[in-house]
PDB file of all heavy atoms in Angstrom:
ATOM      1  N   ARG C 130     109.835 115.399  94.116  1.00 97.00           N
ATOM      2  CA  ARG C 130     111.037 116.092  93.656  1.00 97.00           C
ATOM      3  C   ARG C 130     110.959 116.359  92.153  1.00 97.00           C
ATOM      4  O   ARG C 130     111.260 117.461  91.687  1.00 97.00           O
ATOM      5  CB  ARG C 130     112.226 115.187  93.972  1.00 97.00           C
ATOM      6  CG  ARG C 130     113.535 115.870  94.236  1.00 97.00           C
ATOM      7  CD  ARG C 130     114.486 114.804  94.776  1.00 97.00           C
ATOM      8  NE  ARG C 130     115.774 114.888  94.101  1.00 97.00           N
ATOM      9  CZ  ARG C 130     116.848 115.455  94.649  1.00 97.00           C
ATOM     10  NH1 ARG C 130     116.777 115.973  95.857  1.00 97.00           N
ATOM     11  NH2 ARG C 130     117.980 115.493  93.988  1.00 97.00           N
ATOM     12  N   ALA C 131     110.515 115.325  91.414  1.00 97.00           N
ATOM     13  CA  ALA C 131     110.402 115.473  89.960  1.00 97.00           C
ATOM     14  C   ALA C 131     109.347 116.520  89.603  1.00 97.00           C
ATOM     15  O   ALA C 131     109.444 117.194  88.578  1.00 97.00           O
ATOM     16  CB  ALA C 131     110.052 114.126  89.317  1.00 97.00           C
ATOM     17  N   ALA C 132     108.345 116.658  90.465  1.00 97.00           N
ATOM     18  CA  ALA C 132     107.277 117.628  90.209  1.00 97.00           C
ATOM     19  C   ALA C 132     107.671 119.021  90.679  1.00 97.00           C
ATOM     20  O   ALA C 132     106.875 119.952  90.592  1.00 97.00           O
ATOM     21  CB  ALA C 132     106.001 117.174  90.913  1.00 97.00           C
ATOM     22  N   GLY C 133     108.886 119.142  91.211  1.00 97.00           N
ATOM     23  CA  GLY C 133     109.345 120.446  91.676  1.00 97.00           C
ATOM     24  C   GLY C 133     108.833 120.807  93.059  1.00 97.00           C
ATOM     25  O   GLY C 133     108.886 121.964  93.467  1.00 97.00           O
ATOM     26  N   LEU C 134     108.347 119.813  93.794  1.00 98.00           N
ATOM     27  CA  LEU C 134     107.814 120.081  95.129  1.00 98.00           C
ATOM     28  C   LEU C 134     108.898 119.925  96.188  1.00 98.00           C
ATOM     29  O   LEU C 134     109.967 119.376  95.926  1.00 98.00           O
ATOM     30  CB  LEU C 134     106.652 119.131  95.420  1.00 98.00           C
ATOM     31  CG  LEU C 134     105.413 119.345  94.531  1.00 98.00           C
ATOM     32  CD1 LEU C 134     104.456 118.170  94.644  1.00 98.00           C
ATOM     33  CD2 LEU C 134     104.714 120.652  94.908  1.00 98.00           C
ATOM     34  N   GLY C 135     108.591 120.386  97.403  1.00 98.00           N
ATOM     35  CA  GLY C 135     109.554 120.331  98.489  1.00 98.00           C
ATOM     36  C   GLY C 135     109.279 119.206  99.462  1.00 98.00           C
ATOM     37  O   GLY C 135     108.292 118.464  99.339  1.00 98.00           O
ATOM     38  N   ALA C 136     110.170 119.096 100.468  1.00 98.00           N
ATOM     39  CA  ALA C 136     110.075 118.019 101.454  1.00 98.00           C
ATOM     40  C   ALA C 136     108.758 118.091 102.233  1.00 98.00           C
ATOM     41  O   ALA C 136     108.127 117.064 102.494  1.00 98.00           O
ATOM     42  CB  ALA C 136     111.266 118.088 102.412  1.00 98.00           C
ATOM     43  N   LEU C 137     108.344 119.301 102.583  1.00 98.00           N
ATOM     44  CA  LEU C 137     107.112 119.427 103.358  1.00 98.00           C
ATOM     45  C   LEU C 137     105.898 118.988 102.528  1.00 98.00           C
ATOM     46  O   LEU C 137     104.978 118.352 103.033  1.00 98.00           O
ATOM     47  CB  LEU C 137     106.940 120.872 103.844  1.00 98.00           C
ATOM     48  CG  LEU C 137     105.741 121.125 104.776  1.00 98.00           C
ATOM     49  CD1 LEU C 137     105.850 120.316 106.067  1.00 98.00           C
ATOM     50  CD2 LEU C 137     105.614 122.613 105.104  1.00 98.00           C
ATOM     51  N   ASP C 138     105.924 119.312 101.234  1.00 98.00           N
ATOM     52  CA  ASP C 138     104.828 118.894 100.354  1.00 98.00           C
ATOM     53  C   ASP C 138     104.726 117.367 100.329  1.00 98.00           C
ATOM     54  O   ASP C 138     103.639 116.797 100.442  1.00 98.00           O
ATOM     55  CB  ASP C 138     105.069 119.391  98.921  1.00 98.00           C
ATOM     56  CG  ASP C 138     105.188 120.902  98.847  1.00 98.00           C
ATOM     57  OD1 ASP C 138     104.397 121.582  99.516  1.00 98.00           O
ATOM     58  OD2 ASP C 138     106.076 121.396  98.130  1.00 98.00           O
ATOM     59  N   ALA C 139     105.869 116.713 100.163  1.00 98.00           N
ATOM     60  CA  ALA C 139     105.869 115.241 100.101  1.00 98.00           C
ATOM     61  C   ALA C 139     105.396 114.652 101.420  1.00 98.00           C
ATOM     62  O   ALA C 139     104.646 113.664 101.445  1.00 98.00           O
ATOM     63  CB  ALA C 139     107.268 114.732  99.762  1.00 98.00           C
ATOM     64  N   ALA C 140     105.823 115.271 102.535  1.00 98.00           N
ATOM     65  CA  ALA C 140     105.413 114.773 103.847  1.00 98.00           C
ATOM     66  C   ALA C 140     103.902 114.902 104.010  1.00 98.00           C
ATOM     67  O   ALA C 140     103.235 113.987 104.505  1.00 98.00           O
ATOM     68  CB  ALA C 140     106.140 115.546 104.950  1.00 98.00           C
ATOM     69  N   TYR C 141     103.355 116.036 103.591  1.00 98.00           N
ATOM     70  CA  TYR C 141     101.904 116.213 103.659  1.00 98.00           C
ATOM     71  C   TYR C 141     101.188 115.141 102.845  1.00 98.00           C
ATOM     72  O   TYR C 141     100.193 114.561 103.261  1.00 98.00           O
ATOM     73  CB  TYR C 141     101.500 117.591 103.131  1.00 98.00           C
ATOM     74  CG  TYR C 141     101.299 118.616 104.233  1.00 98.00           C
ATOM     75  CD1 TYR C 141     102.232 119.614 104.460  1.00 98.00           C
ATOM     76  CD2 TYR C 141     100.170 118.566 105.040  1.00 98.00           C
ATOM     77  CE1 TYR C 141     102.055 120.544 105.474  1.00 98.00           C
ATOM     78  CE2 TYR C 141      99.982 119.490 106.060  1.00 98.00           C
ATOM     79  CZ  TYR C 141     100.924 120.480 106.272  1.00 98.00           C
ATOM     80  OH  TYR C 141     100.738 121.384 107.280  1.00 98.00           O
ATOM     81  N   CYS C 142     101.706 114.909 101.651  1.00 98.00           N
ATOM     82  CA  CYS C 142     101.067 113.961 100.759  1.00 98.00           C
ATOM     83  C   CYS C 142     101.056 112.563 101.390  1.00 98.00           C
ATOM     84  O   CYS C 142     100.025 111.885 101.416  1.00 98.00           O
ATOM     85  CB  CYS C 142     101.834 113.975  99.434  1.00 98.00           C
ATOM     86  SG  CYS C 142     100.964 113.199  98.115  1.00 98.00           S
ATOM     87  N   ALA C 143     102.188 112.134 101.932  1.00 98.00           N
ATOM     88  CA  ALA C 143     102.281 110.802 102.542  1.00 98.00           C
ATOM     89  C   ALA C 143     101.388 110.715 103.780  1.00 98.00           C
ATOM     90  O   ALA C 143     100.677 109.722 103.984  1.00 98.00           O
ATOM     91  CB  ALA C 143     103.726 110.495 102.912  1.00 98.00           C
ATOM     92  N   ALA C 144     101.422 111.761 104.607  1.00 98.00           N
ATOM     93  CA  ALA C 144     100.615 111.746 105.830  1.00 98.00           C
ATOM     94  C   ALA C 144      99.131 111.702 105.472  1.00 98.00           C
ATOM     95  O   ALA C 144      98.354 110.940 106.063  1.00 98.00           O
ATOM     96  CB  ALA C 144     100.926 112.983 106.675  1.00 98.00           C
ATOM     97  N   TYR C 145      98.744 112.478 104.489  1.00 98.00           N
ATOM     98  CA  TYR C 145      97.328 112.509 104.098  1.00 98.00           C
ATOM     99  C   TYR C 145      96.887 111.157 103.533  1.00 98.00           C
ATOM    100  O   TYR C 145      95.817 110.645 103.865  1.00 98.00           O
ATOM    101  CB  TYR C 145      97.074 113.633 103.088  1.00 98.00           C
ATOM    102  CG  TYR C 145      95.615 113.727 102.709  1.00 98.00           C
ATOM    103  CD1 TYR C 145      94.656 114.076 103.663  1.00 98.00           C
ATOM    104  CD2 TYR C 145      95.185 113.432 101.428  1.00 98.00           C
ATOM    105  CE1 TYR C 145      93.301 114.128 103.334  1.00 98.00           C
ATOM    106  CE2 TYR C 145      93.838 113.487 101.091  1.00 98.00           C
ATOM    107  CZ  TYR C 145      92.905 113.836 102.049  1.00 98.00           C
ATOM    108  OH  TYR C 145      91.570 113.880 101.718  1.00 98.00           O
ATOM    109  N   GLU C 146      97.738 110.573 102.689  1.00 98.00           N
ATOM    110  CA  GLU C 146      97.402 109.257 102.131  1.00 98.00           C
ATOM    111  C   GLU C 146      97.202 108.213 103.225  1.00 98.00           C
ATOM    112  O   GLU C 146      96.417 107.278 103.064  1.00 98.00           O
ATOM    113  CB  GLU C 146      98.527 108.761 101.209  1.00 98.00           C
ATOM    114  CG  GLU C 146      98.431 109.293  99.812  1.00 98.00           C
ATOM    115  CD  GLU C 146      99.591 108.811  98.953  1.00 98.00           C
ATOM    116  OE1 GLU C 146     100.390 107.967  99.418  1.00 98.00           O
ATOM    117  OE2 GLU C 146      99.690 109.303  97.819  1.00 98.00           O
ATOM    118  N   SER C 147      97.938 108.356 104.336  1.00 98.00           N
ATOM    119  CA  SER C 147      97.846 107.338 105.386  1.00 98.00           C
ATOM    120  C   SER C 147      96.465 107.333 106.031  1.00 98.00           C
ATOM    121  O   SER C 147      96.075 106.355 106.657  1.00 98.00           O
ATOM    122  CB  SER C 147      98.936 107.548 106.449  1.00 98.00           C
ATOM    123  OG  SER C 147      98.617 108.622 107.315  1.00 98.00           O
ATOM    124  N   VAL C 148      95.711 108.413 105.898  1.00 98.00           N
ATOM    125  CA  VAL C 148      94.368 108.445 106.478  1.00 98.00           C
ATOM    126  C   VAL C 148      93.257 108.511 105.427  1.00 98.00           C
ATOM    127  O   VAL C 148      92.145 108.026 105.654  1.00 98.00           O
ATOM    128  CB  VAL C 148      94.213 109.616 107.489  1.00 98.00           C
ATOM    129  CG1 VAL C 148      95.077 109.345 108.705  1.00 98.00           C
ATOM    130  CG2 VAL C 148      94.574 110.963 106.879  1.00 98.00           C
ATOM    131  N   SER C 149      93.540 109.077 104.266  1.00 97.00           N
ATOM    132  CA  SER C 149      92.468 109.201 103.268  1.00 97.00           C
ATOM    133  C   SER C 149      92.087 107.838 102.702  1.00 97.00           C
ATOM    134  O   SER C 149      90.908 107.580 102.420  1.00 97.00           O
ATOM    135  CB  SER C 149      92.880 110.151 102.143  1.00 97.00           C
ATOM    136  OG  SER C 149      94.016 109.657 101.462  1.00 97.00           O
ATOM    137  N   GLY C 150      93.076 106.959 102.553  1.00 97.00           N
ATOM    138  CA  GLY C 150      92.800 105.607 102.037  1.00 97.00           C
ATOM    139  C   GLY C 150      91.831 104.848 102.938  1.00 97.00           C
ATOM    140  O   GLY C 150      90.770 104.399 102.481  1.00 97.00           O
ATOM    141  N   PRO C 151      92.148 104.717 104.252  1.00 98.00           N
ATOM    142  CA  PRO C 151      91.219 104.026 105.147  1.00 98.00           C
ATOM    143  C   PRO C 151      89.848 104.696 105.199  1.00 98.00           C
ATOM    144  O   PRO C 151      88.819 104.016 105.284  1.00 98.00           O
ATOM    145  CB  PRO C 151      91.902 104.120 106.518  1.00 98.00           C
ATOM    146  CG  PRO C 151      93.345 104.314 106.227  1.00 98.00           C
ATOM    147  CD  PRO C 151      93.440 105.025 104.907  1.00 98.00           C
ATOM    148  N   ALA C 152      89.815 106.026 105.137  1.00 98.00           N
ATOM    149  CA  ALA C 152      88.521 106.713 105.240  1.00 98.00           C
ATOM    150  C   ALA C 152      87.643 106.379 104.036  1.00 98.00           C
ATOM    151  O   ALA C 152      86.467 106.024 104.193  1.00 98.00           O
ATOM    152  CB  ALA C 152      88.730 108.224 105.351  1.00 98.00           C
ATOM    153  N   SER C 153      88.203 106.444 102.819  1.00 96.00           N
ATOM    154  CA  SER C 153      87.337 106.174 101.669  1.00 96.00           C
ATOM    155  C   SER C 153      86.999 104.691 101.587  1.00 96.00           C
ATOM    156  O   SER C 153      85.908 104.311 101.169  1.00 96.00           O
ATOM    157  CB  SER C 153      87.949 106.699 100.372  1.00 96.00           C
ATOM    158  OG  SER C 153      89.076 105.955 100.035  1.00 96.00           O
ATOM    159  N   ALA C 154      87.907 103.825 102.031  1.00 96.00           N
ATOM    160  CA  ALA C 154      87.595 102.392 102.043  1.00 96.00           C
ATOM    161  C   ALA C 154      86.448 102.106 103.013  1.00 96.00           C
ATOM    162  O   ALA C 154      85.576 101.279 102.736  1.00 96.00           O
ATOM    163  CB  ALA C 154      88.826 101.580 102.426  1.00 96.00           C
ATOM    164  N   THR C 155      86.454 102.784 104.149  1.00 97.00           N
ATOM    165  CA  THR C 155      85.416 102.523 105.155  1.00 97.00           C
ATOM    166  C   THR C 155      84.043 102.990 104.672  1.00 97.00           C
ATOM    167  O   THR C 155      83.019 102.396 105.020  1.00 97.00           O
ATOM    168  CB  THR C 155      85.803 103.188 106.494  1.00 97.00           C
ATOM    169  OG1 THR C 155      87.096 102.702 106.864  1.00 97.00           O
ATOM    170  CG2 THR C 155      84.828 102.826 107.596  1.00 97.00           C
ATOM    171  N   VAL C 156      84.033 104.028 103.841  1.00 96.00           N
ATOM    172  CA  VAL C 156      82.763 104.438 103.234  1.00 96.00           C
ATOM    173  C   VAL C 156      82.182 103.270 102.446  1.00 96.00           C
ATOM    174  O   VAL C 156      80.990 102.973 102.525  1.00 96.00           O
ATOM    175  CB  VAL C 156      82.971 105.670 102.320  1.00 96.00           C
ATOM    176  CG1 VAL C 156      81.739 105.939 101.467  1.00 96.00           C
ATOM    177  CG2 VAL C 156      83.311 106.893 103.167  1.00 96.00           C
ATOM    178  N   ARG C 157      83.026 102.559 101.720  1.00 93.00           N
ATOM    179  CA  ARG C 157      82.545 101.415 100.931  1.00 93.00           C
ATOM    180  C   ARG C 157      82.260 100.200 101.802  1.00 93.00           C
ATOM    181  O   ARG C 157      81.311  99.464 101.562  1.00 93.00           O
ATOM    182  CB  ARG C 157      83.589 101.040  99.874  1.00 93.00           C
ATOM    183  CG  ARG C 157      83.714 102.091  98.770  1.00 93.00           C
ATOM    184  CD  ARG C 157      84.725 101.664  97.732  1.00 93.00           C
ATOM    185  NE  ARG C 157      85.774 102.650  97.585  1.00 93.00           N
ATOM    186  CZ  ARG C 157      86.905 102.440  96.903  1.00 93.00           C
ATOM    187  NH1 ARG C 157      87.132 101.281  96.333  1.00 93.00           N
ATOM    188  NH2 ARG C 157      87.812 103.381  96.805  1.00 93.00           N
ATOM    189  N   LEU C 158      83.081  99.990 102.830  1.00 94.00           N
ATOM    190  CA  LEU C 158      82.952  98.770 103.640  1.00 94.00           C
ATOM    191  C   LEU C 158      81.752  98.811 104.573  1.00 94.00           C
ATOM    192  O   LEU C 158      81.091  97.797 104.805  1.00 94.00           O
ATOM    193  CB  LEU C 158      84.222  98.566 104.472  1.00 94.00           C
ATOM    194  CG  LEU C 158      85.463  98.143 103.685  1.00 94.00           C
ATOM    195  CD1 LEU C 158      86.729  98.417 104.490  1.00 94.00           C
ATOM    196  CD2 LEU C 158      85.371  96.663 103.328  1.00 94.00           C
ATOM    197  N   LEU C 159      81.505  99.965 105.168  1.00 95.00           N
ATOM    198  CA  LEU C 159      80.438 100.070 106.175  1.00 95.00           C
ATOM    199  C   LEU C 159      79.241 100.849 105.656  1.00 95.00           C
ATOM    200  O   LEU C 159      78.310 101.114 106.411  1.00 95.00           O
ATOM    201  CB  LEU C 159      80.975 100.794 107.422  1.00 95.00           C
ATOM    202  CG  LEU C 159      81.929 100.043 108.342  1.00 95.00           C
ATOM    203  CD1 LEU C 159      82.382 100.959 109.466  1.00 95.00           C
ATOM    204  CD2 LEU C 159      81.278  98.791 108.917  1.00 95.00           C
ATOM    205  N   SER C 160      79.283 101.250 104.374  1.00 93.00           N
ATOM    206  CA  SER C 160      78.274 102.180 103.851  1.00 93.00           C
ATOM    207  C   SER C 160      78.185 103.398 104.758  1.00 93.00           C
ATOM    208  O   SER C 160      77.108 103.955 104.988  1.00 93.00           O
ATOM    209  CB  SER C 160      76.899 101.515 103.725  1.00 93.00           C
ATOM    210  OG  SER C 160      76.997 100.380 102.898  1.00 93.00           O
ATOM    211  N   LEU C 161      79.325 103.800 105.281  1.00 95.00           N
ATOM    212  CA  LEU C 161      79.406 104.962 106.160  1.00 95.00           C
ATOM    213  C   LEU C 161      79.012 106.209 105.373  1.00 95.00           C
ATOM    214  O   LEU C 161      79.329 106.336 104.194  1.00 95.00           O
ATOM    215  CB  LEU C 161      80.854 105.091 106.649  1.00 95.00           C
ATOM    216  CG  LEU C 161      81.159 106.129 107.716  1.00 95.00           C
ATOM    217  CD1 LEU C 161      80.564 105.696 109.049  1.00 95.00           C
ATOM    218  CD2 LEU C 161      82.670 106.305 107.862  1.00 95.00           C
ATOM    219  N   ASP C 162      78.314 107.107 106.020  1.00 96.00           N
ATOM    220  CA  ASP C 162      77.955 108.382 105.402  1.00 96.00           C
ATOM    221  C   ASP C 162      79.250 109.085 104.964  1.00 96.00           C
ATOM    222  O   ASP C 162      80.125 109.348 105.787  1.00 96.00           O
ATOM    223  CB  ASP C 162      77.225 109.232 106.453  1.00 96.00           C
ATOM    224  CG  ASP C 162      76.743 110.562 105.894  1.00 96.00           C
ATOM    225  OD1 ASP C 162      77.343 111.051 104.915  1.00 96.00           O
ATOM    226  OD2 ASP C 162      75.775 111.108 106.460  1.00 96.00           O
ATOM    227  N   PRO C 163      79.384 109.369 103.660  1.00 96.00           N
ATOM    228  CA  PRO C 163      80.644 109.965 103.190  1.00 96.00           C
ATOM    229  C   PRO C 163      80.936 111.321 103.836  1.00 96.00           C
ATOM    230  O   PRO C 163      82.100 111.706 103.966  1.00 96.00           O
ATOM    231  CB  PRO C 163      80.439 110.113 101.679  1.00 96.00           C
ATOM    232  CG  PRO C 163      78.978 109.951 101.436  1.00 96.00           C
ATOM    233  CD  PRO C 163      78.439 109.133 102.559  1.00 96.00           C
ATOM    234  N   PHE C 164      79.877 112.034 104.279  1.00 97.00           N
ATOM    235  CA  PHE C 164      80.135 113.315 104.950  1.00 97.00           C
ATOM    236  C   PHE C 164      80.807 113.078 106.294  1.00 97.00           C
ATOM    237  O   PHE C 164      81.649 113.860 106.736  1.00 97.00           O
ATOM    238  CB  PHE C 164      78.829 114.095 105.126  1.00 97.00           C
ATOM    239  CG  PHE C 164      78.164 114.436 103.810  1.00 97.00           C
ATOM    240  CD1 PHE C 164      76.904 113.971 103.502  1.00 97.00           C
ATOM    241  CD2 PHE C 164      78.838 115.205 102.862  1.00 97.00           C
ATOM    242  CE1 PHE C 164      76.301 114.269 102.293  1.00 97.00           C
ATOM    243  CE2 PHE C 164      78.242 115.508 101.645  1.00 97.00           C
ATOM    244  CZ  PHE C 164      76.975 115.047 101.352  1.00 97.00           C
ATOM    245  N   ASP C 165      80.432 111.977 106.966  1.00 97.00           N
ATOM    246  CA  ASP C 165      81.075 111.644 108.238  1.00 97.00           C
ATOM    247  C   ASP C 165      82.553 111.318 108.027  1.00 97.00           C
ATOM    248  O   ASP C 165      83.414 111.726 108.809  1.00 97.00           O
ATOM    249  CB  ASP C 165      80.388 110.443 108.899  1.00 97.00           C
ATOM    250  CG  ASP C 165      79.023 110.807 109.465  1.00 97.00           C
ATOM    251  OD1 ASP C 165      78.755 112.023 109.612  1.00 97.00           O
ATOM    252  OD2 ASP C 165      78.222 109.888 109.734  1.00 97.00           O
ATOM    253  N   ALA C 166      82.830 110.571 106.956  1.00 97.00           N
ATOM    254  CA  ALA C 166      84.223 110.192 106.687  1.00 97.00           C
ATOM    255  C   ALA C 166      85.062 111.435 106.369  1.00 97.00           C
ATOM    256  O   ALA C 166      86.206 111.566 106.813  1.00 97.00           O
ATOM    257  CB  ALA C 166      84.282 109.204 105.527  1.00 97.00           C
ATOM    258  N   THR C 167      84.489 112.351 105.618  1.00 97.00           N
ATOM    259  CA  THR C 167      85.211 113.571 105.289  1.00 97.00           C
ATOM    260  C   THR C 167      85.427 114.426 106.535  1.00 97.00           C
ATOM    261  O   THR C 167      86.473 115.049 106.700  1.00 97.00           O
ATOM    262  CB  THR C 167      84.438 114.365 104.216  1.00 97.00           C
ATOM    263  OG1 THR C 167      84.180 113.479 103.130  1.00 97.00           O
ATOM    264  CG2 THR C 167      85.256 115.529 103.712  1.00 97.00           C
ATOM    265  N   GLY C 168      84.426 114.401 107.419  1.00 98.00           N
ATOM    266  CA  GLY C 168      84.557 115.121 108.685  1.00 98.00           C
ATOM    267  C   GLY C 168      85.718 114.587 109.511  1.00 98.00           C
ATOM    268  O   GLY C 168      86.455 115.355 110.144  1.00 98.00           O
ATOM    269  N   VAL C 169      85.895 113.261 109.491  1.00 98.00           N
ATOM    270  CA  VAL C 169      87.028 112.644 110.205  1.00 98.00           C
ATOM    271  C   VAL C 169      88.336 113.224 109.683  1.00 98.00           C
ATOM    272  O   VAL C 169      89.213 113.644 110.450  1.00 98.00           O
ATOM    273  CB  VAL C 169      87.010 111.107 110.017  1.00 98.00           C
ATOM    274  CG1 VAL C 169      88.342 110.492 110.409  1.00 98.00           C
ATOM    275  CG2 VAL C 169      85.866 110.485 110.814  1.00 98.00           C
TER     276      VAL C 169
END
Side-chain angles (χ1 to χ4, degrees):
Chain C
R130 209 170 133 102
L134 294 166
L137 185 62
D138 301 318
Y141 263 106
C142 195
Y145 182 65
E146 276 178 7
S147 76
V148 292
S149 62
S153 69
T155 304
V156 168
R157 291 181 237 169
L158 288 161
L159 287 177
S160 303
L161 187 71
D162 183 334
F164 299 119
D165 287 344
T167 307
V169 165

